[in-house]
Structure formats: C-alpha cells, structure tokens
Amino acid sequence: MAKFPPLYIQNSLTRKKELFTPLNAPYVGMYVCGPTVYSNVHLGNVRTFLTFDVVYRYLTFLGYQVRYVRNITDVGHLTGDSDDGEDKIGKKARLENLEPMEIVQKYTNDFQDVMRVFNMKSPSIEPSATGHIVEQIEMVKAILDRGYAYESNGSVYFNVRKYNEDHDYGALSGRKIDDLINNSRLLDGQNEKSDPLDFALWKKADASHLMKWPSPWSEGFPGWHLECSVMSTKYLGTQFDIHGGGMDLKFPHHECEIAQNTCATGEAHSVRYWMHGNMLTVNGRKMAKSEGNGFTPEELISGNHALLERGYSPMTVRFFMLQGHYASTLDFSNEALQAAEKGLDRLMNAMSALEMLPTAMDLPNPDVDVAALSKRCSEAMGDDFNTPILISVLFDAVKLINSIASDRIAVDETQKAALVMLFNGYVSEVLGLVREDGTTGESEGESGALLDLLVELRGNAKINKDWGTADAIRDALGALSISIKDSKEGSTWERD
Ligand code: AMP
Ligand code: ZN
C-alpha cells in the first residue's frame, strides 16, 4: 500500500487539528451536504462546494481511493430551516406553476452546469432525498424502536432531552442545551411536539402539500436532517471518514444528524472528521438569497449585477477563493477579484514559460530545488488543506522560472520535467486551475498560435532559400521537443 504524507485536518467536532487516519486506507469515504434545488446557486454556495472539491482532489492526488457522496436535497427542507415552514421546493413549484419534480430537475441541471463551469469534479454518487424515502422511513422506525422518538398526530419527533441524558446534544455546534431551552420558549406554533427542542423526523402532510408519501404514521414527508443521515450511512457505512458542509449547517442540521445516527444504530458518532467551510461574505455579511446580496455565477461572468464593476471568469473566482483558507470567512470585492485575475495570469504565464524553456542535459542548477518546493507544497496542503500557503510556494517557483526565462539560460532536462510535474500536480490537479480555453497549463491556445507563426516563418525562409534561418527555427523547436513535419500540403508542428 502506498505511504501517504501526513495530513492534518481541523476536526470541527473535537475542535482540534488531527492527523488524518482513514478507517480503511487507501479507501476514504466522504459525504458533503449538497444543494437544496429550489433556486439558482449563488457564489456563496460555490465556495463551499469548492472547498470540498479541493479536499477530494487532494486526497485523490495523494493516492487515496475516495468515495465522494454529495446529495441533492429535493424534499423536506422547509422555509426558515424550521419544522413548520413550507417545503422550499413545493413553494417554488406553486409559484412557478410547475410540478415539484420539474423544479428539482431545473435547478439540479443548473447546479451541475455551475459545477462544470468552475471545474469541480463530479462526486462518485449524487443521491437524492426523494430517491431514499423507504430508507428514511426505516431509520425513523429504528429511532422509534430505540426509544428516542415519539409519534404525535401522524408526525414523528426526535426526543432531544432524552438523547441529551445519554449523549451530548450540542457537542458539534457548542450550543448549550440550557440556552437552547431558554431560546426555544420564545417559539410558538409547535404544540405537536412535547418539547420545543425536538425536531421532526417525519411530518404529516396537509391536503395541499404537494410532495408526500405513505408511511406507518401518515401520508407525509421526511424531516430535512434525516436524508443526510440515511444517504451518508447507506453509501459509506455507519462509520465513515469525512463529513463536510458549510459552517451554517453545523446547527441544527449536523447536530441533528449526529443524534439521529447515534440513536438509529446505538453506536457513538459515525463520522471521524467533521469539516466546515466558512462563508463568503459581502461587506462582512453572509452572502445569501434572503439578504439580496447573492449573485449567480452567470451574473458574475457577465458582470450584470449591481455589486460587480465588470465580469470575471470562473477561474479567476476559483483562484480568488483558494487564496483564502477554507475555514476563514472570505469577503467578496471587485478589487480582490481584479488582483486575483493578475495573480492567476502570472501563474499560468509562468507555466507556459516553463514549457518553452530550452533544456540541456546534465546541467543541474543549484537554485532549482524542486524536491524542496514539492515538500513545502505537500506540507501546506497537509496542514488542513492550506491553499493560500500552497499558492505562495507556487509563486516562489514562478519567480524562479521567470528569472531563468529572462536570463535566457537553458534548464536541466530532469529539473524541467520535475518542475512541470510539480505545476501540473498542484495547479491543475489539486487546485483545479485550468486555462480558460479549456486546456491545462500546457497553454495550447497561445503557444499553439506562436508555433504556427514560427512554422510559417520557416516556410517563408525556405521559399527565399534562406536555409540558415529555416534550420535555426527547426533546431530551436527541436530543443523544445517540438518537431516540424513537412508534407506536400505544407508544414505542421507536433509535440514529441
Ligand atoms: P443550501 O442549498 O442552502 O442547502 O446550501 C448549500 C451549501 O452552500 C451549504 O453547504 C451551505 O452551507 C453553503 N452556503 C450557503 N451560503 C453560503 C455562503 N455565503 N458562503 C459559503 N457557503 C454558503
Ligand atoms: Zn445535509
């Protein structure tokens, strides 16, 4: 089995940075809460999915075989994240006069398009809540059987106080049950529950409710928290490695997931490392649809939004977000995006310059210590996926490449190959930064046009019988492992 470099993860449950030791290496199970598909995703959502895209990419880069499960929430998430609101999808279906499943499809498609635009890897499994109603009913039964839930008027509620007698409700979020009790006294309209602290596992649907299924208790629908308990354990087992989501899901969503899993199986915490991505903010306030400060990726690219001075490309945004550590808040601003655009350009240009550097055999340059750079990259990522530090190490390499390129000196062939690998690995595979024209650091777009031009100049030189220039061009390209093929139709270039 491969030996993995040390990776430390800030575990939200223990509040400690812990050495990552998967339950069953080289396999890793990772579950991330997906979107509620009732509207277009905004850039804040993108940040959280990007955080876990990089986690997934880095684990895969290290050689772990990751099963990455990210769900689609298509039922049970009620307005206000409460137990009494209207289903967000049902509400949208009513407003748009569509079937709830049309809403689900429309916004799932939108979400997946956005994920592609931002170069996010697809999860291994993307299960939906409505596809797992049977399993959710089974989990409610298991929790009832173990005595941690009760039925009331066709609905089933989780008994938080009873759970807290044997376990610690609030262990993840740090909430204190006494504070919750005091706050919950202010809530009303929840008289079906024996205690306002309790949360719904199953809700009886009224006649006007659109999305409902038969169950032993009523025709109804599952509570929001239940789906993630069910789908994570169904695909990853009752104990698994990583569970992620945005910081705002810690409470109540993830706290309730822990309680449900514990009571369904009788085993303590099912997740070994809880990870939470911090929020994208605008002028210090969380970006959210309800705040009116959220813009969609489409608006971002077109620049068509009051907060945007102009449009920005998806890779610029990706780079901007990765310049912050996932656990810190990140404030959106036009200035920061414009600076990111320049930084990304420098990085991509250095990758192209590296490709073009002439090589020499057995000419190691003592300043080019790729092993040391590589170690620093791995240490940065090994320290809780510290992408800003990784980027700063990559910029040290950029400086080095630029100075070699401007000195017009040849670089040792082996050192160049190692640098190319370093960049391809960390920039393209781990950070997922690609050229906007769809190519990776290879920059086929720009360098391809330059190569076409050189081939044309050589053709002209041959017509003018300037053999010296024609040969010089061919030899110079040969040194870059690019050969010129002459045929009746003309000349073309090829990378060897
Ligand atoms: P939702 O579709 O509302 O369930 O949210 C999908 C994901 O986006 C969740 O993991 C949220 O925590 C996350 N999210 C929502 N708003 C923001 C934000 N402003 N910054 C970062 N993540 C967010
Ligand atoms: Zn979830």
Side-chain angles (χ1 to χ4, degrees), residues 33-36 42 44-45 47-49 77 245-249 278-280 286-287:
C33 289
T36 306
H42 60 67
N45 305 126
R47 182 177 189 210
T48 290
F49 297 120
H77 195 174
M247 202 76 97
D248 54 345
L249 296 186
N278 215 326
M279 297 292 107
L280 180 70
K286 177 187 164 187
M287 181 179 279

PDB file of all heavy atoms in Angstrom, residues 33-36 42 44-45 47-49 77 245-249 278-280 286-287, ligand 1:
ATOM      1  N   CYS A  33     -22.867  17.750   2.225  1.00  0.00           N
ATOM      2  CA  CYS A  33     -24.261  18.162   2.035  1.00  0.00           C
ATOM      3  C   CYS A  33     -24.366  18.954   0.734  1.00  0.00           C
ATOM      4  O   CYS A  33     -23.638  19.934   0.528  1.00  0.00           O
ATOM      5  CB  CYS A  33     -24.719  19.058   3.184  1.00  0.00           C
ATOM      6  SG  CYS A  33     -24.906  18.125   4.706  1.00  0.00           S
ATOM      7  N   GLY A  34     -25.258  18.527  -0.121  1.00  0.00           N
ATOM      8  CA  GLY A  34     -25.413  19.176  -1.424  1.00  0.00           C
ATOM      9  C   GLY A  34     -26.441  20.297  -1.385  1.00  0.00           C
ATOM     10  O   GLY A  34     -26.914  20.679  -0.308  1.00  0.00           O
ATOM     11  N   PRO A  35     -26.811  20.813  -2.530  1.00  0.00           N
ATOM     12  CA  PRO A  35     -27.719  21.972  -2.573  1.00  0.00           C
ATOM     13  C   PRO A  35     -29.181  21.574  -2.398  1.00  0.00           C
ATOM     14  O   PRO A  35     -29.555  20.433  -2.667  1.00  0.00           O
ATOM     15  CB  PRO A  35     -27.518  22.477  -4.007  1.00  0.00           C
ATOM     16  CG  PRO A  35     -27.245  21.239  -4.792  1.00  0.00           C
ATOM     17  CD  PRO A  35     -26.436  20.343  -3.881  1.00  0.00           C
ATOM     18  N   THR A  36     -29.971  22.531  -1.935  1.00  0.00           N
ATOM     19  CA  THR A  36     -31.421  22.378  -1.978  1.00  0.00           C
ATOM     20  C   THR A  36     -31.838  22.988  -3.307  1.00  0.00           C
ATOM     21  O   THR A  36     -31.632  24.189  -3.538  1.00  0.00           O
ATOM     22  CB  THR A  36     -32.076  23.126  -0.799  1.00  0.00           C
ATOM     23  OG1 THR A  36     -31.456  22.654   0.402  1.00  0.00           O
ATOM     24  CG2 THR A  36     -33.568  22.862  -0.733  1.00  0.00           C
ATOM     25  N   HIS A  42     -25.886  30.467  -5.679  1.00  0.00           N
ATOM     26  CA  HIS A  42     -25.157  31.746  -5.700  1.00  0.00           C
ATOM     27  C   HIS A  42     -23.686  31.471  -5.405  1.00  0.00           C
ATOM     28  O   HIS A  42     -23.296  30.324  -5.108  1.00  0.00           O
ATOM     29  CB  HIS A  42     -25.786  32.767  -4.745  1.00  0.00           C
ATOM     30  CG  HIS A  42     -25.830  32.342  -3.307  1.00  0.00           C
ATOM     31  ND1 HIS A  42     -24.697  32.180  -2.550  1.00  0.00           N
ATOM     32  CD2 HIS A  42     -26.876  32.042  -2.484  1.00  0.00           C
ATOM     33  CE1 HIS A  42     -25.035  31.816  -1.324  1.00  0.00           C
ATOM     34  NE2 HIS A  42     -26.359  31.706  -1.253  1.00  0.00           N
ATOM     35  N   GLY A  44     -21.833  32.111  -2.945  1.00  0.00           N
ATOM     36  CA  GLY A  44     -21.533  31.590  -1.605  1.00  0.00           C
ATOM     37  C   GLY A  44     -21.597  30.064  -1.611  1.00  0.00           C
ATOM     38  O   GLY A  44     -20.698  29.388  -1.097  1.00  0.00           O
ATOM     39  N   ASN A  45     -22.636  29.513  -2.213  1.00  0.00           N
ATOM     40  CA  ASN A  45     -22.748  28.053  -2.315  1.00  0.00           C
ATOM     41  C   ASN A  45     -21.517  27.495  -3.034  1.00  0.00           C
ATOM     42  O   ASN A  45     -20.954  26.477  -2.630  1.00  0.00           O
ATOM     43  CB  ASN A  45     -23.999  27.630  -3.103  1.00  0.00           C
ATOM     44  CG  ASN A  45     -25.285  28.211  -2.562  1.00  0.00           C
ATOM     45  OD1 ASN A  45     -26.047  28.830  -3.287  1.00  0.00           O
ATOM     46  ND2 ASN A  45     -25.532  28.045  -1.282  1.00  0.00           N
ATOM     47  N   ARG A  47     -18.569  28.551  -3.058  1.00  0.00           N
ATOM     48  CA  ARG A  47     -17.376  28.489  -2.202  1.00  0.00           C
ATOM     49  C   ARG A  47     -17.338  27.175  -1.418  1.00  0.00           C
ATOM     50  O   ARG A  47     -16.301  26.526  -1.315  1.00  0.00           O
ATOM     51  CB  ARG A  47     -17.327  29.671  -1.234  1.00  0.00           C
ATOM     52  CG  ARG A  47     -16.060  29.594  -0.415  1.00  0.00           C
ATOM     53  CD  ARG A  47     -15.802  30.709   0.558  1.00  0.00           C
ATOM     54  NE  ARG A  47     -14.451  30.554   1.080  1.00  0.00           N
ATOM     55  CZ  ARG A  47     -14.055  30.933   2.268  1.00  0.00           C
ATOM     56  NH1 ARG A  47     -14.886  31.549   3.081  1.00  0.00           N
ATOM     57  NH2 ARG A  47     -12.816  30.728   2.668  1.00  0.00           N
ATOM     58  N   THR A  48     -18.466  26.814  -0.814  1.00  0.00           N
ATOM     59  CA  THR A  48     -18.482  25.589  -0.015  1.00  0.00           C
ATOM     60  C   THR A  48     -18.198  24.362  -0.881  1.00  0.00           C
ATOM     61  O   THR A  48     -17.416  23.490  -0.504  1.00  0.00           O
ATOM     62  CB  THR A  48     -19.831  25.462   0.724  1.00  0.00           C
ATOM     63  OG1 THR A  48     -19.858  26.477   1.729  1.00  0.00           O
ATOM     64  CG2 THR A  48     -19.986  24.115   1.391  1.00  0.00           C
ATOM     65  N   PHE A  49     -18.793  24.309  -2.060  1.00  0.00           N
ATOM     66  CA  PHE A  49     -18.540  23.137  -2.909  1.00  0.00           C
ATOM     67  C   PHE A  49     -17.104  23.108  -3.413  1.00  0.00           C
ATOM     68  O   PHE A  49     -16.520  22.041  -3.594  1.00  0.00           O
ATOM     69  CB  PHE A  49     -19.580  23.065  -4.042  1.00  0.00           C
ATOM     70  CG  PHE A  49     -20.970  22.888  -3.491  1.00  0.00           C
ATOM     71  CD1 PHE A  49     -21.976  23.811  -3.734  1.00  0.00           C
ATOM     72  CD2 PHE A  49     -21.244  21.812  -2.663  1.00  0.00           C
ATOM     73  CE1 PHE A  49     -23.244  23.658  -3.167  1.00  0.00           C
ATOM     74  CE2 PHE A  49     -22.506  21.639  -2.089  1.00  0.00           C
ATOM     75  CZ  PHE A  49     -23.504  22.568  -2.350  1.00  0.00           C
ATOM     76  N   HIS A  77     -36.728  20.239   3.046  1.00  0.00           N
ATOM     77  CA  HIS A  77     -36.065  21.443   3.559  1.00  0.00           C
ATOM     78  C   HIS A  77     -37.107  22.560   3.563  1.00  0.00           C
ATOM     79  O   HIS A  77     -37.497  23.063   2.508  1.00  0.00           O
ATOM     80  CB  HIS A  77     -34.875  21.782   2.670  1.00  0.00           C
ATOM     81  CG  HIS A  77     -33.925  22.762   3.278  1.00  0.00           C
ATOM     82  ND1 HIS A  77     -32.726  23.106   2.700  1.00  0.00           N
ATOM     83  CD2 HIS A  77     -33.992  23.476   4.427  1.00  0.00           C
ATOM     84  CE1 HIS A  77     -32.105  23.980   3.449  1.00  0.00           C
ATOM     85  NE2 HIS A  77     -32.861  24.235   4.509  1.00  0.00           N
ATOM     86  N   GLY A 245     -19.646  20.321   4.988  1.00  0.00           N
ATOM     87  CA  GLY A 245     -20.762  21.210   4.661  1.00  0.00           C
ATOM     88  C   GLY A 245     -20.366  22.622   5.055  1.00  0.00           C
ATOM     89  O   GLY A 245     -19.281  22.842   5.622  1.00  0.00           O
ATOM     90  N   GLY A 246     -21.215  23.577   4.736  1.00  0.00           N
ATOM     91  CA  GLY A 246     -20.952  24.957   5.137  1.00  0.00           C
ATOM     92  C   GLY A 246     -21.121  25.104   6.653  1.00  0.00           C
ATOM     93  O   GLY A 246     -21.844  24.341   7.293  1.00  0.00           O
ATOM     94  N   MET A 247     -20.433  26.116   7.193  1.00  0.00           N
ATOM     95  CA  MET A 247     -20.468  26.392   8.639  1.00  0.00           C
ATOM     96  C   MET A 247     -21.900  26.551   9.156  1.00  0.00           C
ATOM     97  O   MET A 247     -22.205  26.176  10.284  1.00  0.00           O
ATOM     98  CB  MET A 247     -19.697  27.704   8.846  1.00  0.00           C
ATOM     99  CG  MET A 247     -19.172  27.925  10.208  1.00  0.00           C
ATOM    100  SD  MET A 247     -17.727  26.925  10.469  1.00  0.00           S
ATOM    101  CE  MET A 247     -16.421  28.074  10.126  1.00  0.00           C
ATOM    102  N   ASP A 248     -22.757  27.127   8.315  1.00  0.00           N
ATOM    103  CA  ASP A 248     -24.135  27.391   8.755  1.00  0.00           C
ATOM    104  C   ASP A 248     -24.954  26.107   8.906  1.00  0.00           C
ATOM    105  O   ASP A 248     -26.083  26.154   9.390  1.00  0.00           O
ATOM    106  CB  ASP A 248     -24.836  28.365   7.773  1.00  0.00           C
ATOM    107  CG  ASP A 248     -24.778  27.886   6.333  1.00  0.00           C
ATOM    108  OD1 ASP A 248     -23.969  26.982   6.033  1.00  0.00           O
ATOM    109  OD2 ASP A 248     -25.551  28.401   5.506  1.00  0.00           O
ATOM    110  N   LEU A 249     -24.385  24.975   8.503  1.00  0.00           N
ATOM    111  CA  LEU A 249     -25.133  23.719   8.654  1.00  0.00           C
ATOM    112  C   LEU A 249     -24.810  22.999   9.962  1.00  0.00           C
ATOM    113  O   LEU A 249     -25.444  21.991  10.291  1.00  0.00           O
ATOM    114  CB  LEU A 249     -24.840  22.783   7.477  1.00  0.00           C
ATOM    115  CG  LEU A 249     -25.280  23.261   6.096  1.00  0.00           C
ATOM    116  CD1 LEU A 249     -25.054  22.161   5.057  1.00  0.00           C
ATOM    117  CD2 LEU A 249     -26.752  23.662   6.085  1.00  0.00           C
ATOM    118  N   ASN A 278     -16.057  27.937   5.673  1.00  0.00           N
ATOM    119  CA  ASN A 278     -16.607  29.221   6.150  1.00  0.00           C
ATOM    120  C   ASN A 278     -17.305  29.980   5.017  1.00  0.00           C
ATOM    121  O   ASN A 278     -17.257  29.595   3.859  1.00  0.00           O
ATOM    122  CB  ASN A 278     -15.514  30.052   6.815  1.00  0.00           C
ATOM    123  CG  ASN A 278     -16.078  30.844   7.977  1.00  0.00           C
ATOM    124  OD1 ASN A 278     -17.244  31.281   7.938  1.00  0.00           O
ATOM    125  ND2 ASN A 278     -15.294  31.025   9.023  1.00  0.00           N
ATOM    126  N   MET A 279     -17.934  31.058   5.390  1.00  0.00           N
ATOM    127  CA  MET A 279     -18.865  31.749   4.495  1.00  0.00           C
ATOM    128  C   MET A 279     -18.182  32.762   3.572  1.00  0.00           C
ATOM    129  O   MET A 279     -17.202  33.399   3.941  1.00  0.00           O
ATOM    130  CB  MET A 279     -19.918  32.503   5.328  1.00  0.00           C
ATOM    131  CG  MET A 279     -20.794  31.598   6.174  1.00  0.00           C
ATOM    132  SD  MET A 279     -21.907  30.554   5.189  1.00  0.00           S
ATOM    133  CE  MET A 279     -21.158  28.957   5.362  1.00  0.00           C
ATOM    134  N   LEU A 280     -18.764  32.916   2.420  1.00  0.00           N
ATOM    135  CA  LEU A 280     -18.412  34.032   1.539  1.00  0.00           C
ATOM    136  C   LEU A 280     -19.285  35.197   1.985  1.00  0.00           C
ATOM    137  O   LEU A 280     -20.510  35.034   2.135  1.00  0.00           O
ATOM    138  CB  LEU A 280     -18.705  33.674   0.083  1.00  0.00           C
ATOM    139  CG  LEU A 280     -18.375  34.769  -0.926  1.00  0.00           C
ATOM    140  CD1 LEU A 280     -16.864  34.946  -1.058  1.00  0.00           C
ATOM    141  CD2 LEU A 280     -18.961  34.435  -2.298  1.00  0.00           C
ATOM    142  N   LYS A 286     -22.932  37.604   5.406  1.00  0.00           N
ATOM    143  CA  LYS A 286     -23.011  36.348   4.661  1.00  0.00           C
ATOM    144  C   LYS A 286     -23.764  36.541   3.350  1.00  0.00           C
ATOM    145  O   LYS A 286     -24.826  37.177   3.337  1.00  0.00           O
ATOM    146  CB  LYS A 286     -23.750  35.320   5.531  1.00  0.00           C
ATOM    147  CG  LYS A 286     -23.973  33.988   4.850  1.00  0.00           C
ATOM    148  CD  LYS A 286     -24.849  33.071   5.690  1.00  0.00           C
ATOM    149  CE  LYS A 286     -25.379  31.933   4.825  1.00  0.00           C
ATOM    150  NZ  LYS A 286     -26.345  31.086   5.477  1.00  0.00           N
ATOM    151  N   MET A 287     -23.202  36.017   2.271  1.00  0.00           N
ATOM    152  CA  MET A 287     -23.935  36.080   1.007  1.00  0.00           C
ATOM    153  C   MET A 287     -25.105  35.104   1.087  1.00  0.00           C
ATOM    154  O   MET A 287     -24.924  33.939   1.421  1.00  0.00           O
ATOM    155  CB  MET A 287     -23.024  35.713  -0.165  1.00  0.00           C
ATOM    156  CG  MET A 287     -23.743  35.791  -1.498  1.00  0.00           C
ATOM    157  SD  MET A 287     -22.702  35.397  -2.930  1.00  0.00           S
ATOM    158  CE  MET A 287     -21.842  36.928  -3.183  1.00  0.00           C
TER     159      MET A 287
HETATM  160  P1  AMP B   1     -28.324  25.177   0.560  1.00  0.00           P
HETATM  161  O1  AMP B   1     -28.632  24.947  -0.895  1.00  0.00           O
HETATM  162  O2  AMP B   1     -28.945  26.397   1.111  1.00  0.00           O
HETATM  163  O3  AMP B   1     -28.633  23.941   1.393  1.00  0.00           O
HETATM  164  O4  AMP B   1     -26.750  25.440   0.658  1.00  0.00           O
HETATM  165  C1  AMP B   1     -25.791  24.662   0.005  1.00  0.00           C
HETATM  166  C2  AMP B   1     -24.451  24.853   0.657  1.00  0.00           C
HETATM  167  O5  AMP B   1     -23.992  26.196   0.489  1.00  0.00           O
HETATM  168  C3  AMP B   1     -24.443  24.597   2.157  1.00  0.00           C
HETATM  169  O6  AMP B   1     -23.317  23.787   2.498  1.00  0.00           O
HETATM  170  C4  AMP B   1     -24.318  25.978   2.771  1.00  0.00           C
HETATM  171  O7  AMP B   1     -23.618  25.928   3.988  1.00  0.00           O
HETATM  172  C5  AMP B   1     -23.487  26.686   1.727  1.00  0.00           C
HETATM  173  N1  AMP B   1     -23.607  28.164   1.767  1.00  0.00           N
HETATM  174  C6  AMP B   1     -24.728  28.931   1.779  1.00  0.00           C
HETATM  175  N2  AMP B   1     -24.422  30.265   1.821  1.00  0.00           N
HETATM  176  C7  AMP B   1     -23.062  30.337   1.812  1.00  0.00           C
HETATM  177  C8  AMP B   1     -22.111  31.417   1.832  1.00  0.00           C
HETATM  178  N3  AMP B   1     -22.490  32.706   1.856  1.00  0.00           N
HETATM  179  N4  AMP B   1     -20.788  31.111   1.831  1.00  0.00           N
HETATM  180  C9  AMP B   1     -20.370  29.814   1.790  1.00  0.00           C
HETATM  181  N5  AMP B   1     -21.213  28.752   1.766  1.00  0.00           N
HETATM  182  C10 AMP B   1     -22.542  29.002   1.779  1.00  0.00           C
END
